[in-house]
Amino acid sequence: MTSEIIIQAIVTGLMMGLIYALIAAGLSLIFGLMEIVNFAHGEHLMLSMFSSFWLWSLFGLDPLFSIPITILLLAFCGIITHYFLIRYILKAKMLIQICATFGLSIFIRSIAQLLWTPDFRNVDKPLLEGRIEIGSVFIGQPQLYASLVCLVAFFGLYWFVTKTETGLALQATAQDRHAAEILGIPSNKMFAIGWAIGLGCVGVAGGMMANYFFIFTDVGINFALFAFVAVALGGFGSIIGCLYAGIIIGLVESLGGLLIDPSFKLLYVFAIYLLVVIYKPQGLFGRY
Amino acid sequence: MDSRLEFAKSEPIWNTNNRVFSIIAGLIILLFALPLFGMNSFYLHLFIMIFMHAVMAQSWNVIAGFSGQISLGHGAFFGIGAYATSFFYMEYGITPWISIFFGMFVSAIFAVLIGIPMLRLSGHYFAIATLLIGISFQVVFQRWDLVGAASGLWVTMTPEDSWFALQFHSSKVPYYYVFLVFFLITFFLVWLLSRSKLGYRLRAVRDDPQAALSLCINVSNYKIIAYVISAMIMAPMGSLFAQYILIIDPDRVFNIEISIIVLLITVLGGIGNVWGPIIGASILVPISEYSRIYLGGTGGAVDLIFYGLILMIICIFRPNGLISFIPKDILERKKQR
């Protein structure tokens, strides 16, 4: 085991971590806003990858150019989810909220399986291909650009939430729904915006990953699990916490896979989750 | 709560609403008599599956309905139970009747280990952790050579029917009675639990943890107790299922679908109610078995689409499940007289 392999693993882990961070940020935004964990997050990621794939396969649009369309589609999907499902369960017990989004995840996944069969697909010859060689470390170009785009999108989201007026309104709603309503911020509209942005983040991540990742109906499960862990790790509702948590998970996954055994990646992440929850239950940057 | 508890304690347990009691007694006798009428093996299978799923859902009901903690990986305990009996029978020839208890014991230990860190926290942490656990168990058992890794365990078949090995090849009737007895015992015990002091405390923990804490109820301990009980109900069903199909592999007994279906049955029937899982199971299991006959083999997960849809609709319109259609005074004992 040479140092090059370890550096390689660190770089790979970092690149994956940035993608996890963006997926988790969407989840965290939704949770912070209405305290609902979207258990269908992985399925929304799957939808975004499929949207990218179908735009490529039917219209010949490269995943790189179809990203705006994917984002819009996913944002629309978020608004629909809010309008038809979440709106009704806002005041329900937590148990019902979890069951409802879990039901949504089963529903989306099995519809996708029925429509598109569980085959593995991938985008042939995308614009982003090949690899860069720095010293003895190989970096896949699609992976590199995906993580960079995710990083940019992450900071875009952070800027939006902390600096713009709509973002501040979102934060106000997250802190106290009723007080915000008194000040003239319509909470229902804010929730819809939150869902649109949260799933828009997933759209960016899924659209970029469509460049190099296999696309199949169960693809979302692992990513969603890591996103859940990242959200708990960063602290429920904290967006910047997701960045650190995502990177930690990416590194743990790739270094654990390299140093111990790649087939137990999930267990290392799970171990991290247990450790954090035992020693710092509010997460690294949590409000609660 | 206190007056109801005093009320429950002051009365003998059999002094239930008489009409309901006689209906239940009649149903039990009917269920015992059913195989005598010569049902074909498909209907026997259907009833076995209903009993099994009702118990599995009841197990989930204890943790989610009574104590309010959502476990999304309950399949793990099912798998532990299944592997416990099959492994000990194949390696050491221990009868499943003993290793069922071993499976329960191991499940209980895992429930304590998972419960201690997780159940101190709010529900989302536990739900996510259990989701991870369910998948971790599948991953570990797929790689664990001692228990056959991904190809699973093929239980050695006895040449003829044997109560010692709990294998019956000529007929499903013995399985029917085994499952029926477990079903009745479990429901009776959970019914007792729901009326006991422990049951009332668990519901207090679910409804208002802080108020429960102020009444000196150790919230996290009671959650762990509920989780252990729940795991110990789930494991025997895994054991019996393994004896029923005699081939187990990680993809089958640790499948996430098991965790989904117990959740669905309970939510459909009525969460937090002892009778909810029976209603849910007797509606959902026939749907799933018939859809397997008529729609199966197409590769499309048609029954799962319905599951997801039903789950969302129930959550939106009837959060208390189908049992909320039945007037309350029939289900509960008459309070005033």
Side-chain angles (χ1 to χ4, degrees):
Chain A
M1 183 123 0
T2 55
S3 59
E4 281 96 26
I5 303 177
I6 293 178
I7 293 170
Q8 176 79 52
I10 289 174
V11 171
T12 318
L14 264 180
M15 291 193 299
M16 276 322 277
L18 291 173
I19 293 172
Y20 293 145
L22 186 65
I23 299 171
L27 195 64
S28 190
L29 182 78
I30 293 168
F31 181 84
L33 205 54
M34 51 185 93
E35 304 204 355
I36 288 177
V37 173
N38 177 19
F39 277 95
H41 215 60
E43 279 60 41
H44 287 126
L45 181 77
M46 181 265 292
L47 282 184
S48 75
M49 288 173 79
F50 264 102
S51 125
S52 226
F53 173 79
W54 287 118
L55 286 169
W56 169 79
S57 113
L58 297 178
F59 306 108
L61 211 55
D62 192 82
L64 203 56
F65 300 120
S66 65
I67 276 196
I69 304 174
T70 304
I71 295 172
L72 283 181
L73 276 177
L74 259 286
F76 183 62
C77 180
I79 292 170
I80 289 179
T81 309
H82 174 70
Y83 191 80
F84 284 106
L85 180 65
I86 307 299
R87 205 158 61 107
Y88 299 102
I89 55 164
L90 274 176
K91 291 195 182 74
K93 282 184 283 185
M94 187 194 78
L95 193 135
I96 294 300
Q97 293 174 339
I98 292 181
C99 289
T101 53
F102 200 58
L104 180 68
S105 92
I106 305 165
F107 180 68
I108 297 178
R109 198 184 329 143
S110 26
I111 283 251
Q113 218 167 72
L114 181 72
L115 291 178
W116 304 321
T117 70
D119 291 346
F120 281 53
R121 297 181 167 87
N122 65 325
V123 173
D124 259 351
K125 297 201 188 326
L127 281 184
L128 289 176
E129 254 194 328
R131 61 184 189 197
I132 307 170
E133 206 179 327
I134 302 172
S136 57
V137 178
F138 295 105
I139 303 174
Q141 274 208 39
Q143 283 92 329
L144 178 66
Y145 284 106
S147 56
L148 288 181
V149 168
C150 283
L151 189 63
V152 170
F154 188 93
F155 281 111
L157 175 73
Y158 190 66
W159 170 81
F160 177 81
V161 171
T162 51
K163 291 293 184 301
T164 63
E165 202 167 317
T166 322
L168 291 174
L170 280 176
Q171 279 192 347
T173 316
Q175 277 171 13
D176 194 330
R177 197 176 300 177
H178 303 292
E181 264 176 356
I182 290 169
L183 294 174
I185 301 171
S187 61
N188 231 341
K189 191 178 153 197
M190 285 301 132
F191 291 154
I193 292 178
W195 272 92
I197 297 173
L199 293 199
C201 294
V202 171
V204 178
M208 287 310 288
M209 278 202 304
N211 275 314
Y212 62 93
F213 215 81
F214 281 111
I215 299 164
F216 54 104
T217 47
D218 282 352
V219 67
I221 294 175
N222 268 331
F223 285 96
L225 280 178
F226 288 170
F228 294 145
V229 175
V231 169
L233 207 59
F236 274 102
S238 156
I239 290 181
I240 199 75
C242 288
L243 181 63
Y244 297 101
I247 291 173
I248 290 173
I249 290 172
L251 288 178
V252 166
E253 186 199 6
S254 88
L255 283 176
L258 174 73
L259 299 175
I260 312 170
D261 185 345
S263 53
F264 294 127
K265 278 178 180 175
L266 190 74
L267 294 190
Y268 314 137
V269 176
F270 186 38
I272 295 288
Y273 179 70
L274 275 179
L275 281 179
V276 169
V277 163
I278 291 168
Y279 291 108
K280 210 166 172 355
Q282 72 276 30
L284 301 172
F285 298 85
R287 286 190 287 154
Y288 302 105
Chain B
M1 182 196 112
D2 212 19
S3 68
R4 284 184 71 182
L5 180 61
E6 288 301 316
F7 183 72
K9 274 161 72 179
S10 67
E11 268 191 282
I13 221 156
W14 52 85
N15 197 357
T16 249
N17 188 333
N18 267 337
R19 203 189 308 153
V20 174
F21 185 75
S22 47
I23 291 173
I24 291 174
L27 278 178
I28 291 174
I29 293 169
L30 186 67
L31 284 177
F32 269 105
L34 263 181
L36 302 179
F37 300 132
M39 290 196 294
N40 69 23
S41 70
F42 171 71
Y43 285 107
L44 282 172
H45 172 75
L46 194 63
F47 272 98
I48 289 170
M49 284 292 118
I50 290 176
F51 296 150
M52 191 182 93
H53 283 95
V55 175
M56 285 156 66
Q58 188 64 278
S59 140
W60 193 76
N61 198 16
V62 169
I63 179 74
F66 289 178
S67 76
Q69 303 302 306
I70 296 200
S71 161
L72 298 177
H74 239 54
F77 301 122
F78 186 80
I80 290 175
Y83 269 95
T85 45
S86 306
F87 179 73
F88 282 100
Y89 178 68
M90 288 170 66
E91 290 287 312
Y92 306 110
I94 298 174
T95 164
W97 294 107
I98 294 171
S99 42
I100 279 179
F101 293 102
F102 191 76
M104 286 167 74
F105 181 66
V106 175
S107 298
I109 288 175
F110 270 103
V112 172
L113 289 181
I114 299 158
I116 286 175
M118 287 304 161
L119 287 170
R120 288 184 312 177
L121 303 159
S122 76
H124 293 301
Y125 289 98
F126 182 64
I128 292 168
T130 49
L131 193 61
L132 283 165
I133 288 160
I135 297 172
S136 309
F137 265 98
Q138 193 178 352
V139 170
V140 169
F141 274 82
Q142 273 169 354
R143 312 287 196 287
W144 194 2
D145 289 326
L146 183 66
V147 294
S151 58
L153 293 175
W154 297 53
V155 181
T156 25
M157 304 256 259
T158 52
E160 55 214 33
D161 292 3
S162 145
W163 280 94
F164 175 79
L166 201 59
Q167 291 182 16
F168 309 100
H169 309 298
S170 55
S171 154
K172 283 191 169 131
V173 175
Y175 282 120
Y176 177 90
Y177 282 115
V178 169
F179 274 96
L180 177 60
V181 167
F182 267 86
F183 165 77
L184 292 177
I185 292 174
T186 310
F187 270 74
F188 182 64
L189 290 179
V190 173
W191 181 66
L192 284 187
L193 171 76
S194 76
R195 296 163 40 94
S196 68
K197 217 171 185 173
L198 180 60
Y200 280 100
R201 285 183 178 164
L202 288 179
R203 270 170 278 181
V205 165
R206 172 193 70 188
D207 291 336
D208 195 336
Q210 297 201 323
L213 203 59
S214 74
L215 293 170
C216 287
I217 296 174
N218 189 333
V219 171
S220 53
N221 276 7
Y222 276 95
K223 287 182 197 165
I224 293 170
I225 290 173
Y227 196 41
V228 170
I229 294 173
S230 170
M232 287 172 74
I233 297 174
M234 194 69 165
M237 282 303 111
S239 309
L240 292 184
F241 183 67
Q243 291 304 309
Y244 181 54
I245 60 170
L246 295 175
I247 299 170
I248 54 171
D249 59 85
D251 280 339
R252 195 193 304 242
V253 294
F254 286 110
N255 199 322
I256 193 160
E257 212 175 302
I258 293 170
S259 314
I260 294 172
I261 198 159
V262 295
L263 182 151
L264 185 60
I265 288 172
T266 317
V267 174
L268 180 72
I271 193 162
N273 193 310
V274 184
W275 312 115
I278 300 183
I279 296 179
S282 41
I283 291 173
L284 216 66
V285 173
I287 291 180
S288 109
E289 292 292 330
Y290 277 105
S291 76
R292 198 163 295 164
I293 294 170
Y294 294 112
L295 304 167
T298 51
V302 182
D303 49 343
L304 280 178
I305 297 179
F306 287 121
Y307 291 174
L309 207 57
I310 293 171
L311 198 51
M312 283 190 287
I313 290 172
I314 288 282
C315 285
I316 292 173
F317 296 108
R318 278 272 157 187
N320 290 326
L322 292 180
I323 205 155
S324 62
F325 283 110
I326 302 173
K328 247 192 166 165
D329 52 331
I330 294 181
L331 292 171
E332 290 182 3
R333 300 176 312 154
K334 292 196 182 87
K335 293 214 182 74
Q336 280 106 26
R337 63 188 74 175

